[in-house]
Amino acid sequence: MAQISQKTGAQTLSQRDTVLISLFGALWGLMEITIGVTVKGLRIPMGGALLTAFAVVIFTTGRYFVPKRGATLMMGAVAAILKIFSIGTIIASPFLAILMEGLIGEIVLSVLGVNRFSFIFAGITLLLYSILHPFISQGIIFGTDIYKIYLESFRRLGELLHISSAHLLWIIFIYAMLHAFLGILAGYLGFKLSRQVQQELNLLRSQKETMA
Amino acid sequence: MNRYWFTAIILLLSVAFMNPHNMLFIFTLAMISGVIIDLKALRPLLRWKFLFFLGILVFGTPLFIGSRQSSFWGIPYSADILRMSANMALRSVIILMAIKIFTNHISIEQMSNWLKRVRLKNFSEVFATSMKMMPKVKEISLQTFEEFRHSPKNLNMFSQAFTWTAKLIARLLFFVEDSVIE
């Protein structure tokens, strides 16, 4: 294997690592372009959450094969640029959303390491963040006053429907739990897929050796 | 390039000083400078979905939220919320215009170089590699998809998709490892 290596942040990346990060970044980007367009076009409910769940499966699998600090963030950066490249013009929102997913995934996996728990935790964190992301970006664009409008609308809606704030909070809680469940599923699938890929890869390697 | 960056930054800074008292003044100045610098930046702001959202925000919310002590043709509304909503709407127009001016004049390469500077030092190489391997990724993916379509469906849909996704990623990894060794 080529012995070229580069210093990135705290850890050294071999040429194999660099190529694998490129591969998983490209896969993530392609997923965002193809499934993202389909989900948006069909207006599938919780489409954003579904996309995030797919992203979790891809980057956790990638991290399993490149367990180096900075790998997930770099995959996210490749995916973000591919996404905006596909649109033809640079649109800030999807670019920032994918970069944030990469950053959050990176923090969780750097702190907790590469294991089943960290993959599931990364899934939960990201899926919960996907609920908050529109509010954060709207807060930046419209200012913090938008939260006052939301809170007041929330209270008003409760009054109109004769539902107490506690009940509305329960609805939000259930929605968040749905996201968290999707996150658990994505993290678990990411871990299971990584192991399955490892098995398939070993099979391909042994087939190659037999043929050689 | 620099004048676009400079205008975008000035517009973003002006938003920080915006309040219901000076919003019309700042908005007018921002729009004039935006039109002079980059007329194309205004195009996305004219989309009906965005205008509809602003319409609801400015004219809809004061009818339902806040203390509705003012009245317009007998329709009660909240003057405070109207001012607040108008401020938010004008602020959003300026911010989106600033972002558009900035992004209209930045290339993918500049973006990639920028990410390289933000602690992702060998990012440009990673990105270049991913662009180079894209045709092969597409070829392997299509080939695997064809095999998946013609494979016997003896598992349920999810298990089948899971197995073939694992096969696809393993094939891609195998190809990548092979190319690194070569």
Side-chain angles (χ1 to χ4, degrees):
Chain A
M1 191 171 293
Q3 288 302 309
I4 304 165
S5 58
Q6 301 116 343
K7 277 259 177 202
T8 3
Q11 281 184 303
T12 309
L13 293 181
S14 67
Q15 198 188 1
R16 179 184 177 273
D17 295 338
T18 308
V19 176
L20 289 187
I21 292 171
S22 312
L23 172 69
F24 283 100
L27 278 178
W28 185 352
L30 283 176
M31 183 279 296
E32 288 281 349
I33 295 163
T34 52
I35 303 179
V37 168
T38 314
V39 162
K40 258 206 151 179
L42 296 175
R43 296 186 187 280
I44 295 171
M46 287 176 74
L50 271 179
L51 271 183
T52 310
F54 282 125
V56 169
V57 174
I58 292 172
F59 81 68
T60 49
T61 310
R63 189 61 179 244
Y64 184 88
F65 289 96
V66 192
K68 299 268 173 78
R69 206 174 294 161
T72 311
L73 183 58
M74 239 184 264
M75 287 173 209
V78 171
I81 292 193
L82 284 177
K83 172 83 176 181
I84 52 174
F85 192 61
S86 74
I87 299 166
T89 175
I90 294 164
I91 299 173
S93 185
F95 180 75
L96 284 179
I98 299 172
L99 266 190
M100 279 305 289
E101 284 176 6
L103 182 67
I104 293 170
E106 179 60 50
I107 292 168
V108 173
L109 297 178
S110 294
V111 171
L112 299 175
V114 174
N115 51 57
R116 188 181 298 176
F117 172 73
S118 68
F119 282 16
I120 290 173
F121 192 73
I124 296 171
T125 317
L126 271 169
L127 264 293
L128 289 178
Y129 170 75
S130 72
I131 302 175
L132 293 178
H133 180 77
F135 295 104
I136 294 171
S137 55
Q138 282 179 24
I140 294 168
I141 292 171
F142 294 101
T144 48
D145 284 342
I146 194 83
Y147 302 131
K148 287 181 199 163
I149 300 269
Y150 276 130
L151 283 173
E152 193 62 26
S153 310
F154 186 65
R155 200 181 57 77
R156 230 23 192 180
L157 185 74
E159 276 174 19
L160 277 173
L161 299 173
H162 302 291
I163 302 171
S164 69
S165 299
H167 286 107
L168 280 174
L169 281 174
W170 268 107
I171 294 169
I172 292 171
F173 179 74
I174 290 166
Y175 184 67
M177 284 302 107
L178 266 175
H179 272 246
F181 175 71
L182 203 56
I184 293 171
L185 199 67
Y188 176 74
L189 275 179
F191 190 75
K192 215 177 157 202
L193 186 69
S194 311
R195 300 183 84 162
Q196 179 90 11
V197 170
Q198 186 69 66
Q199 280 177 13
E200 291 281 344
L201 194 59
N202 291 341
L203 200 70
L204 286 172
R205 282 177 188 151
S206 63
Q207 275 173 1
K208 193 191 173 188
E209 276 170 17
T210 317
M211 282 173 79
Chain B
M1 181 71 202
N2 281 340
R3 74 187 166 117
Y4 298 116
W5 282 55
F6 184 70
T7 312
I9 289 166
I10 291 288
L11 287 177
L12 290 175
L13 281 176
S14 69
V15 161
F17 299 101
M18 210 166 158
N19 59 47
H21 303 291
N22 63 14
M23 63 183 178
L24 283 177
F25 176 69
I26 290 181
F27 180 74
T28 312
L29 278 182
M31 288 308 278
I32 290 170
S33 50
V35 167
I36 292 169
I37 291 289
D38 186 3
L39 192 62
K40 272 190 249 170
L42 291 175
R43 207 176 295 161
L45 304 174
L46 299 175
R47 281 180 306 185
W48 74 267
K49 272 184 191 171
F50 179 67
L51 293 175
F52 181 72
F53 180 75
L54 289 191
I56 297 270
L57 181 69
V58 178
F59 303 111
T61 47
L63 301 178
F64 302 100
I65 295 168
S67 54
R68 286 169 291 166
Q69 287 162 344
S70 308
S71 159
F72 178 73
W73 283 10
I75 305 167
Y77 71 95
S78 166
D80 289 339
I81 297 289
L82 178 69
R83 268 194 292 272
M84 198 167 87
S85 309
N87 188 30
M88 282 192 288
L90 300 184
R91 175 196 155 100
S92 71
V93 169
I94 297 176
I95 290 183
L96 292 174
M97 189 171 69
I99 293 173
K100 206 65 202 150
I101 288 174
F102 178 74
T103 56
N104 273 353
H105 302 279
I106 189 167
S107 65
I108 301 293
E109 288 75 27
Q110 281 170 316
M111 204 70 138
S112 158
N113 284 336
W114 174 75
L115 285 167
K116 195 172 79 178
R117 281 181 210 148
V118 191
R119 296 274 294 169
L120 299 176
K121 282 177 187 161
N122 57 344
F123 178 74
S124 53
E125 197 198 329
V126 169
F127 186 67
T129 314
S130 68
M131 292 306 280
K132 251 187 264 169
M133 66 171 59
M134 206 58 104
K136 194 69 191 173
V137 169
K138 199 178 161 190
E139 187 193 316
I140 295 173
S141 306
L142 286 175
Q143 196 185 329
T144 311
F145 182 66
E146 276 308 305
E147 279 182 50
F148 164 68
R149 276 180 56 194
H150 297 105
S151 64
K153 304 279 184 281
N154 45 10
L155 293 168
N156 70 53
M157 195 178 77
F158 293 106
S159 302
Q160 193 92 357
F162 181 81
T163 309
W164 280 93
T165 308
K167 271 187 206 294
L168 168 67
I169 297 175
R171 284 173 185 184
L172 290 169
L173 283 173
F174 186 67
F175 153 72
V176 161
E177 282 186 349
D178 236 21
S179 62
V180 172
I181 292 166
E182 279 161 18

Coordinates of all heavy atoms in Angstrom, one line a residue, chain A residues 55-93:
Chain A
A55 N -28.2 9.7 5.8 CA -26.9 10.3 5.9 C -26.2 9.6 7.1 O -25.0 9.3 7.0 CB -27.0 11.8 6.2
V56 N -26.9 9.4 8.2 CA -26.3 8.7 9.4 C -25.8 7.3 9.0 O -24.7 7.0 9.4 CB -27.3 8.6 10.5 CG1 -26.8 7.7 11.7 CG2 -27.7 10.0 11.1
V57 N -26.6 6.6 8.3 CA -26.2 5.2 7.9 C -24.9 5.3 7.1 O -24.0 4.5 7.3 CB -27.3 4.5 7.1 CG1 -26.8 3.2 6.5 CG2 -28.5 4.3 7.9
I58 N -24.8 6.3 6.1 CA -23.6 6.4 5.3 C -22.4 6.8 6.1 O -21.4 6.2 6.0 CB -23.9 7.3 4.1 CG1 -24.9 6.7 3.1 CG2 -22.6 7.6 3.3 CD1 -25.4 7.6 2.0
F59 N -22.5 7.9 6.9 CA -21.3 8.4 7.5 C -20.8 7.5 8.6 O -19.6 7.4 8.9 CB -21.4 9.8 7.8 CG -22.1 10.2 9.1 CD1 -21.6 9.9 10.4 CD2 -23.2 11.0 9.0 CE1 -22.3 10.3 11.5 CE2 -23.9 11.4 10.2 CZ -23.4 11.0 11.4
T60 N -21.8 6.8 9.3 CA -21.3 5.8 10.4 C -20.6 4.7 9.7 O -19.5 4.2 10.2 CB -22.5 5.3 11.2 OG1 -23.5 4.9 10.4 CG2 -23.0 6.4 12.2
T61 N -21.1 4.2 8.6 CA -20.4 3.1 7.9 C -19.0 3.6 7.4 O -18.0 2.9 7.6 CB -21.2 2.7 6.6 OG1 -22.5 2.4 7.0 CG2 -20.7 1.4 6.0
G62 N -19.0 4.8 7.0 CA -17.7 5.4 6.5 C -16.7 5.5 7.7 O -15.5 5.1 7.6
R63 N -17.2 5.9 8.9 CA -16.4 6.1 10.0 C -15.9 4.7 10.6 O -14.8 4.7 11.1 CB -17.2 6.8 11.1 CG -16.4 7.3 12.3 CD -15.3 8.3 12.0 NE -14.6 8.7 13.1 CZ -14.5 9.9 13.6 NH1 -15.2 10.9 12.9 NH2 -13.9 10.2 14.7
Y64 N -16.7 3.7 10.3 CA -16.3 2.3 10.8 C -15.0 1.9 10.0 O -14.1 1.3 10.6 CB -17.4 1.4 10.4 CG -17.2 -0.1 10.9 CD1 -17.5 -0.5 12.2 CD2 -16.6 -1.0 10.0 CE1 -17.4 -1.8 12.6 CE2 -16.4 -2.3 10.5 CZ -16.8 -2.7 11.7 OH -16.6 -4.0 12.1
F65 N -14.9 2.3 8.8 CA -13.7 2.0 7.9 C -12.6 3.0 8.1 O -11.4 2.7 7.7 CB -14.1 1.7 6.5 CG -14.9 0.5 6.3 CD1 -16.3 0.5 6.3 CD2 -14.3 -0.7 6.2 CE1 -17.1 -0.6 6.2 CE2 -15.1 -1.9 6.1 CZ -16.4 -1.9 6.1
V66 N -12.9 4.2 8.5 CA -11.9 5.2 8.7 C -12.0 5.8 10.1 O -12.6 6.9 10.2 CB -11.9 6.4 7.6 CG1 -10.7 7.3 7.7 CG2 -12.1 5.9 6.2
P67 N -11.6 5.1 11.1 CA -11.9 5.6 12.5 C -10.9 6.7 12.9 O -10.2 6.6 13.9 CB -11.7 4.3 13.3 CG -10.9 3.4 12.5 CD -10.9 3.8 11.1
K68 N -10.8 7.7 12.1 CA -9.9 8.8 12.4 C -10.6 10.1 12.6 O -11.7 10.3 12.0 CB -8.9 9.0 11.2 CG -8.0 7.8 10.8 CD -6.7 7.9 11.5 CE -5.9 6.7 11.3 NZ -5.2 6.6 10.0
R69 N -10.1 11.0 13.5 CA -10.7 12.2 13.8 C -10.7 13.1 12.5 O -9.8 13.2 11.8 CB -9.9 12.9 14.9 CG -10.8 13.9 15.7 CD -10.1 14.4 16.9 NE -9.7 13.4 17.9 CZ -8.8 13.6 18.8 NH1 -8.1 14.7 18.8 NH2 -8.6 12.6 19.7
G70 N -11.9 13.8 12.3 CA -12.0 14.7 11.1 C -12.6 14.0 9.9 O -13.0 14.7 9.0
A71 N -12.7 12.6 9.9 CA -13.1 11.9 8.8 C -14.6 12.2 8.4 O -14.9 12.5 7.3 CB -13.0 10.4 9.0
T72 N -15.5 12.2 9.5 CA -16.9 12.5 9.2 C -17.1 13.9 8.7 O -17.9 14.1 7.8 CB -17.7 12.2 10.5 OG1 -17.3 10.9 11.1 CG2 -19.2 12.2 10.3
L73 N -16.4 14.8 9.3 CA -16.6 16.2 8.9 C -16.2 16.4 7.5 O -16.8 17.1 6.7 CB -15.7 17.1 9.8 CG -15.8 18.6 9.6 CD1 -17.3 19.1 9.7 CD2 -14.9 19.4 10.6
M74 N -15.1 15.7 7.1 CA -14.6 15.8 5.7 C -15.6 15.2 4.7 O -15.9 15.7 3.6 CB -13.3 15.2 5.6 CG -12.3 16.2 5.1 SD -10.7 15.5 4.8 CE -9.9 15.8 6.3
M75 N -16.2 14.0 5.1 CA -17.3 13.4 4.3 C -18.4 14.4 4.1 O -19.0 14.5 3.0 CB -17.8 12.1 5.0 CG -16.8 10.9 5.0 SD -17.6 9.6 6.0 CE -16.1 8.8 6.6
G76 N -18.8 15.0 5.2 CA -19.9 16.0 5.2 C -19.6 17.1 4.2 O -20.4 17.6 3.5
A77 N -18.3 17.6 4.3 CA -17.9 18.7 3.4 C -18.0 18.4 2.0 O -18.5 19.1 1.1 CB -16.5 19.2 3.8
V78 N -17.5 17.1 1.6 CA -17.6 16.6 0.3 C -19.1 16.6 -0.2 O -19.4 17.1 -1.3 CB -16.9 15.2 0.1 CG1 -17.2 14.7 -1.3 CG2 -15.4 15.3 0.4
A79 N -19.9 16.0 0.7 CA -21.3 15.8 0.3 C -22.0 17.2 0.1 O -22.8 17.4 -0.8 CB -22.0 15.1 1.5
A80 N -21.6 18.2 1.0 CA -22.2 19.5 0.9 C -21.9 20.2 -0.4 O -22.7 20.8 -1.1 CB -21.8 20.4 2.1
I81 N -20.6 20.1 -0.8 CA -20.2 20.7 -2.0 C -20.8 20.0 -3.2 O -21.3 20.6 -4.2 CB -18.6 20.7 -2.1 CG1 -18.1 21.7 -1.1 CG2 -18.2 21.2 -3.5 CD1 -16.7 22.1 -1.2
L82 N -20.9 18.6 -3.2 CA -21.5 17.9 -4.3 C -23.0 18.3 -4.4 O -23.5 18.5 -5.5 CB -21.4 16.4 -4.1 CG -20.1 15.8 -4.3 CD1 -20.1 14.3 -4.0 CD2 -19.7 16.0 -5.8
K83 N -23.7 18.5 -3.3 CA -25.1 18.9 -3.3 C -25.3 20.3 -4.0 O -26.1 20.4 -4.8 CB -25.6 18.9 -1.8 CG -27.0 19.5 -1.7 CD -28.1 18.5 -1.9 CE -29.4 19.0 -1.6 NZ -30.5 18.1 -1.8
I84 N -24.5 21.2 -3.5 CA -24.6 22.6 -4.1 C -24.2 22.6 -5.6 O -24.7 23.3 -6.4 CB -24.0 23.7 -3.3 CG1 -22.5 23.4 -3.1 CG2 -24.7 24.0 -2.1 CD1 -21.7 24.5 -2.4
F85 N -23.2 21.7 -5.9 CA -22.7 21.6 -7.3 C -23.9 21.1 -8.2 O -24.0 21.5 -9.3 CB -21.6 20.6 -7.3 CG -20.8 20.6 -8.5 CD1 -20.1 21.7 -9.0 CD2 -20.6 19.4 -9.3 CE1 -19.4 21.7 -10.2 CE2 -19.9 19.4 -10.4 CZ -19.3 20.5 -10.9
S86 N -24.7 20.2 -7.6 CA -25.8 19.6 -8.4 C -26.9 20.6 -8.7 O -27.5 20.6 -9.7 CB -26.4 18.4 -7.7 OG -27.1 18.9 -6.6
I87 N -27.0 21.5 -7.7 CA -28.1 22.5 -7.9 C -27.7 23.5 -9.0 O -28.5 24.1 -9.7 CB -28.4 23.3 -6.6 CG1 -28.9 22.3 -5.5 CG2 -29.4 24.3 -6.7 CD1 -28.9 22.8 -4.1
G88 N -26.4 23.7 -9.2 CA -25.9 24.6 -10.2 C -25.5 26.0 -9.6 O -24.6 26.6 -10.1
T89 N -26.2 26.4 -8.6 CA -25.9 27.6 -7.9 C -25.7 27.3 -6.4 O -26.2 26.3 -6.0 CB -27.0 28.7 -8.1 OG1 -26.6 29.8 -7.4 CG2 -28.3 28.2 -7.7
I90 N -25.0 28.2 -5.7 CA -24.8 27.9 -4.3 C -26.0 28.4 -3.5 O -26.3 29.5 -3.5 CB -23.5 28.5 -3.8 CG1 -22.3 27.8 -4.5 CG2 -23.3 28.3 -2.3 CD1 -21.0 28.5 -4.4
I91 N -26.7 27.4 -2.8 CA -27.8 27.8 -1.9 C -27.3 27.5 -0.5 O -26.9 26.4 -0.2 CB -29.1 27.0 -2.3 CG1 -29.5 27.4 -3.7 CG2 -30.2 27.4 -1.3 CD1 -30.6 26.6 -4.3
A92 N -27.4 28.5 0.3 CA -26.7 28.4 1.7 C -27.4 27.3 2.5 O -26.6 26.6 3.2 CB -26.8 29.7 2.3
S93 N -28.7 27.2 2.5 CA -29.4 26.3 3.5 C -28.9 24.8 3.4 O -28.5 24.3 4.5 CB -30.9 26.5 3.4 OG -31.5 25.8 4.4

